[in-house]
Amino acid sequence: MVNKNVRVRFAPSPTGNLHIGGVRTAIFNWLFAKANNGKFILRIEDTDQSRYDENSEDSIIKSLNWLSLDWDEGPIRQSERKSIYMEIAKKLIDSGWAYYDDTSPEELEELRKQQIREKKPPRYDNRGRYKEISHEYYEQNKSIKPIVIRFKVPDGGIKPFIDEVRGKVEFNLKEIDDFVILKSDGMPTYHLAHVIDDHEMKISHVIRGEEWISSTPRHVLIHDALGWDYPKYVHVSLILGKDKAKLSKRHGAESALDYKDKGYLPEAILNFLALLGWSPGDNSEIMNIQEIINKFSIDRILGHPAVFDPEKLEWMNGAYIRNLGDEELSEKILLEVNKSKNEGGLLSESVSKQLLESKILILTPLIRERIKKISDSSYLLEYFFYDELNIEKDSLVPKKVDINQIINGLSKSIELLQTVDDFNPEFLEEKFRNLAKDLELKAGQLFFPIRISLTGRKESPPLFDTMCAIGKENSINRLYSAINILNN
């Protein structure tokens, strides 16, 4: 049974776009809070002011809002809590757990070079322990020389901690040098700041990526030095590409807002990412948010790496799209196509907003089964509004069929359409199947060039639904255009 006072946090650094791993971490924290009637806190870890990007922070918040990952507290910015970190860092000095270090960057670089020459692993040699710099010296000199505060790591021993996914994890303290907890600009490092914040915010579970496992001994050492209880550590697995390499853009991974721009639904992204490194306990894949919340628990987080499959994401997004009602889907499609052709929409001098609004709801059922992303809409609908199809002559002629047969078939199709008054799909299909028999052609041999003539594509919605949507006059005109292409 999980502690009733579940408090978790998502703590991104605003130094770039929110990548898939970060989004997955946010989702796991949010789901765990929801599953346990807990609190989800948003904390902006902006202590690295040299890399701070205001646009990144805005992007993070927009991404969480798009995914409906609502937070109960925050956003809390670490840069506004500088005095708290300084105060506790000085307490660690007074208790003998930390010290001021004025070793210059030049000295550190020379130390690194020397260790490389001696074929030793580059690391700090703890020289600052022996300088005994006072608080007064620090205050007098911090503006004229770089002085940091380092944590004094015990000289030996094993530091264990419990990871809720992997069990007991141990590190040899001899492998950890004295690390910086407060930088020369007075800002804390991640190691100090997040420990203090997690304690003050009463964080019960730290759910983060497994890349932080190697840093966790530092974090439990700080807890020990301050006499604080540990939160429960939950390190979720890495996300790999299908080639089992570390996930990157070349694997098709984008930022959250990139997926939004490309026409993915937030519900699909959340569902897909929830399944990267977590199992619902059965073979469920398409689940609504409440179903995921009801099933979510830490003991179902997997220890092995998750594989990011962009094709599966696209499939899942398509499934979510097909579950939308016609009106809701048409609204999303209209929003997508209601922009100029240069911007990926369908608007032009010949296609107005009014025309789009009058037809999209009618056309939506025709493309519903083919749409994988909302951004596909303009491409899938283009031939319903534009006659310029750029058809290649060879594409109109099926294999093992003479070009003259196709020309004749298209001519007879025009004659048939000119005599038809009942323009509905079922009636048209019956008439055209009979025409194929009369021409001694298989139905596909006649229907294929008609489809190319009307749409310019080998694949489209059902042919006669498409024909009805294009309209009798436009269908006849496009068949004439195809005959002209074949005759030239």
Side-chain angles (χ1 to χ4, degrees):
M1 184 69 180
V2 173
N3 188 330
K4 291 182 180 179
N5 298 318
V6 165
R7 289 175 61 84
V8 294
R9 48 49 166 199
F10 177 55
S13 298
T15 55
N17 289 331
L18 186 56
H19 57 81
I20 284 300
V23 177
R24 196 266 307 262
T25 298
I27 289 171
F28 276 23
N29 277 280
W30 183 85
L31 288 171
F32 186 63
K34 294 295 182 185
N36 292 281
N37 295 314
K39 299 295 184 183
F40 176 62
I41 299 161
L42 175 59
R43 190 169 74 215
I44 305 297
E45 300 201 335
D46 59 348
T47 56
D48 190 347
Q49 291 293 292
S50 65
R51 298 176 61 210
Y52 175 76
D53 181 350
E54 184 178 344
N55 293 327
S56 172
E57 182 175 332
D58 183 58
S59 172
I60 289 167
I61 290 173
K62 284 181 178 177
S63 299
L64 297 179
N65 284 331
W66 177 60
L67 291 165
S68 296
L69 301 181
D70 53 315
W71 51 90
D72 301 289
E73 298 174 22
I76 297 165
R77 294 176 180 82
Q78 288 185 329
S79 60
E80 298 170 359
R81 297 165 55 80
K82 184 176 178 179
S83 61
I84 297 172
Y85 309 128
M86 175 65 78
E87 179 185 352
I88 292 179
K90 287 184 175 180
K91 284 183 179 179
L92 287 169
I93 291 176
D94 291 338
S95 63
W97 279 103
Y99 57 87
Y100 293 113
D101 177 26
D102 64 354
T103 306
S104 69
E106 292 78 17
E107 289 176 293
L108 291 172
E109 177 60 19
E110 181 53 39
L111 172 63
R112 187 186 71 84
K113 289 179 179 178
Q114 179 183 337
Q115 289 170 332
I116 291 174
R117 285 194 299 269
E118 296 174 357
K119 297 183 179 179
K120 296 179 180 178
R123 56 179 287 161
Y124 181 65
D125 61 1
N126 301 346
R127 65 180 64 182
R129 288 187 181 191
Y130 313 107
K131 295 184 180 180
E132 298 184 358
I133 296 174
S134 66
H135 293 315
E136 291 74 21
Y137 179 89
Y138 172 74
E139 292 299 334
Q140 292 169 2
N141 291 276
K142 65 181 181 180
S143 62
I144 58 176
K145 63 187 303 187
I147 305 176
V148 301
I149 297 178
R150 290 182 181 271
F151 187 87
K152 188 185 294 183
V153 178
D155 291 329
I158 300 297
K159 174 50 62 177
F161 68 90
I162 301 300
D163 179 89
E164 298 298 313
V165 177
R166 293 161 183 80
K168 188 176 182 179
V169 181
E170 295 183 336
F171 282 85
N172 189 333
L173 294 180
K174 286 185 177 180
E175 298 175 359
I176 304 174
D177 54 6
D178 290 356
F179 55 94
V180 175
I181 57 174
L182 202 82
K183 295 175 285 188
S184 59
D185 62 358
M187 282 291 188
T189 61
Y190 170 79
H191 302 305
L192 179 67
H194 94 274
V195 167
I196 294 171
D197 290 342
D198 287 348
H199 175 76
E200 293 204 344
M201 296 171 192
K202 296 180 171 60
I203 299 302
S204 62
H205 296 73
V206 172
I207 304 175
R208 60 188 179 187
E210 72 171 39
E211 64 270 20
W212 291 108
I213 288 178
S214 61
S215 295
T216 306
R218 295 174 173 84
H219 307 156
V220 296
L221 283 171
I222 294 173
H223 279 90
D224 290 344
L226 292 168
W228 295 343
D229 293 334
Y230 309 153
K232 292 185 181 297
Y233 289 104
V234 184
H235 290 100
V236 297
S237 62
L238 295 173
I239 302 176
L240 305 179
K242 291 178 75 173
D243 59 359
K244 303 302 170 66
K246 186 176 179 181
L247 187 66
S248 66
K249 280 195 172 183
R250 68 185 177 86
H251 296 108
E254 305 281 353
S255 73
L257 295 182
D258 284 335
Y259 283 111
K260 178 185 179 184
D261 293 342
K262 290 188 174 184
Y264 286 84
L265 300 183
E267 299 86 354
I269 294 290
L270 194 153
N271 188 163
F272 175 78
L273 292 180
L275 292 171
L276 287 185
W278 169 77
S279 169
D282 52 32
N283 294 323
S284 300
E285 289 194 306
I286 305 293
M287 296 176 283
N288 64 42
I289 301 302
Q290 194 56 53
E291 287 175 319
I292 299 173
I293 291 171
N294 291 343
K295 294 181 178 182
F296 193 86
S297 62
I298 284 175
D299 59 4
R300 288 179 176 167
I301 293 177
L302 306 175
H304 57 76
V307 176
F308 181 90
D309 184 346
E311 289 80 17
K312 183 173 181 178
L313 172 56
E314 194 172 78
W315 164 81
M316 187 172 283
N317 195 64
Y320 268 89
I321 287 173
R322 288 188 290 278
N323 284 335
L324 297 175
D326 281 345
E327 286 196 16
E328 185 178 1
L329 178 54
S330 66
E331 287 176 6
K332 292 182 183 296
I333 290 173
L334 185 59
L335 193 65
E336 174 65 25
V337 303
N338 209 356
K339 50 192 177 186
S340 72
K341 292 198 77 178
N342 290 337
E343 296 173 317
L346 292 175
L347 288 177
S348 67
E349 291 182 2
S350 60
V351 177
S352 65
K353 289 185 178 182
Q354 290 75 17
L355 178 61
L356 291 176
E357 289 171 359
S358 68
K359 287 200 170 187
I360 292 302
L361 183 58
I362 299 168
L363 295 173
T364 292
L366 296 186
I367 66 168
R368 167 184 290 281
E369 295 303 316
R370 306 190 64 79
I371 189 168
K372 296 178 180 178
K373 306 186 295 291
I374 299 298
S375 56
D376 297 339
S377 304
S378 294
Y379 173 78
L380 294 173
L381 291 170
E382 188 176 22
Y383 54 77
F384 289 110
F385 296 94
Y386 291 94
D387 294 322
E388 304 82 19
L389 302 178
N390 299 317
I391 297 171
E392 297 289 335
K393 183 175 182 177
D394 291 345
S395 69
L396 286 162
V397 185
K399 292 179 179 179
K400 299 181 181 179
V401 182
D402 184 76
I403 189 171
N404 291 318
Q405 286 180 290
I406 300 304
I407 293 173
N408 183 52
L410 295 180
S411 298
K412 294 297 183 183
S413 297
I414 291 171
E415 293 176 12
L416 173 58
L417 287 175
Q418 288 172 333
T419 63
V420 168
D421 293 322
D422 188 2
F423 214 70
N424 72 73
E426 294 79 10
F427 180 78
L428 287 173
E429 182 171 359
E430 180 184 353
K431 290 293 184 182
F432 275 88
R433 286 192 180 278
N434 290 334
L435 175 60
K437 288 180 183 178
D438 294 341
L439 297 173
E440 298 183 350
L441 292 171
K442 294 178 181 178
Q445 291 174 324
L446 177 62
F447 294 176
F448 178 82
I450 293 175
R451 184 186 304 278
I452 299 293
S453 303
L454 297 182
T455 68
R457 299 173 192 172
K458 293 180 180 180
E459 296 179 348
S460 70
L463 175 58
F464 299 103
D465 292 273
T466 302
M467 186 179 287
C468 290
I470 290 171
K472 180 175 178 178
E473 183 178 346
N474 282 342
S475 294
I476 290 172
N477 289 338
R478 292 184 187 187
L479 291 172
Y480 271 128
S481 296
I483 291 172
N484 288 335
I485 291 169
L486 288 168
N487 281 325
N488 291 327

